[in-house]
Amino acid sequence: MGGTQAIRSGKDGRGGLGNVLSGLAVAIGFALFLGGFVWGAVVYRPYTVPTDSMMPTVRPGDRVLAQRIDGGEVRRGDVVIFTDSMWSDSPMVKRVVGIGGDTVKCCGPAGGLTVNGAPLDEPYADTKGPDTGLAMPPGQTAPTGTPFEVTVPEGNLFLLGDRRAASLDSRAHLQEAGQGTVPRSAVSARVDALAWPTMTMLERPAYVALPGGASQPGPLLLQVAAVLAGAALVVLGAAYGPLARVLGRGRRKERAGVS
């Protein structure tokens, strides 16, 4: 009789408040898990970096997650995905060094880049000497060691690779219309994180001597947290019933042994 009453009252995990709460945990967990993935698919796009022009920040073959953005959201220092027919028919990845109205110059008194007369602090850049194996297309200027000064047109961006000696970037298009700059509308996404072979958020440098500040990271960490929390709730909710039944049987055996 005591065992029957325990089953009806849900004390063995097959009914009652415990079952309701475990079912609710599973439902919420599935919603968080699937919602995190769907949210991520809407906000981000994966992209495989094909060249070494962004080393050491991003290496060839690295898989990155790029947040879908409008070109108007781009800030100095952002690593962006863009497509410009003057450069290539394929998406490219470069870092934004100058925005509309900026004067980008090489080289300053210390030998580095300046923007509006302010030297750039670029700890991310590989500024070693030229790569003698770098072949330039006919009529294009060698990207390393060539002085230049460009005033970026409004609505455009001046883009460089982090590996300066091996990057065909704005410096290689200085003789073209816009002096190697590309319109903001060419940008489709901003790299937020490395996804493979390691999961690492990309740092956003702030050029402190320049106005505008750095862009803010996207919601990737929140999405990952939602997926992990959802998975945990599903596992815990699904495990509650079997665990409660095992514990209930153990208690009944103990009571039976005592009586």
Side-chain angles (χ1 to χ4, degrees), residues 12-238:
D12 67 345
R14 288 181 285 179
L17 182 60
N19 246 12
V20 172
L21 292 178
S22 66
L24 187 60
V26 170
I28 294 174
F30 268 120
L32 284 173
F33 186 80
L34 295 178
F37 272 113
V38 172
W39 186 15
V42 170
V43 175
Y44 287 95
R45 56 169 290 193
Y47 182 79
T48 301
V49 177
T51 70
D52 61 356
S53 67
M54 284 299 296
M55 289 178 60
T57 305
V58 185
R59 300 180 180 277
D62 281 358
R63 194 79 166 168
V64 301
L65 292 177
Q67 183 184 1
R68 303 173 196 268
I69 61 167
D70 181 85
E73 301 176 54
V74 174
R75 300 288 183 270
R76 298 183 192 88
D78 287 347
V79 176
V80 297
I81 309 294
F82 69 99
T83 305
D84 188 282
S85 59
M86 298 292 290
W87 294 41
S88 171
D89 292 329
S90 302
M92 302 185 72
V93 54
K94 303 293 179 188
R95 188 182 296 275
V96 177
V97 171
I99 61 176
D102 285 346
T103 297
V104 183
K105 182 178 179 180
C106 178
C107 299
L113 288 177
T114 65
V115 175
N116 303 333
L120 290 188
D121 181 18
E122 298 188 286
Y124 50 79
D126 179 355
T127 57
K128 297 174 184 176
D131 183 346
T132 56
L134 181 62
M136 296 297 298
Q140 292 188 350
T141 307
T144 301
T146 303
F148 65 85
E149 183 171 342
V150 173
T151 298
V152 184
E154 289 296 337
N156 280 27
L157 304 168
F158 193 84
L159 302 158
L160 297 179
D162 285 358
R163 191 181 182 196
R164 297 293 157 79
S167 176
L168 296 178
D169 47 39
S170 287
R171 298 165 299 168
H173 299 269
L174 294 174
Q175 307 306 317
E176 300 171 5
Q179 292 186 279
T181 64
V182 301
R184 284 180 176 269
S185 59
V187 174
S188 60
R190 175 172 53 215
V191 177
D192 209 15
L194 303 181
W196 179 263
T198 59
M199 183 67 180
T200 309
M201 295 297 292
L202 212 66
E203 292 187 14
R204 285 173 160 77
Y207 302 152
V208 294
L210 299 167
S215 61
Q216 296 301 310
L220 180 61
L221 292 180
L222 187 58
Q223 293 165 353
V224 171
V227 169
L228 294 178
L233 282 174
V234 169
V235 171
L236 291 174

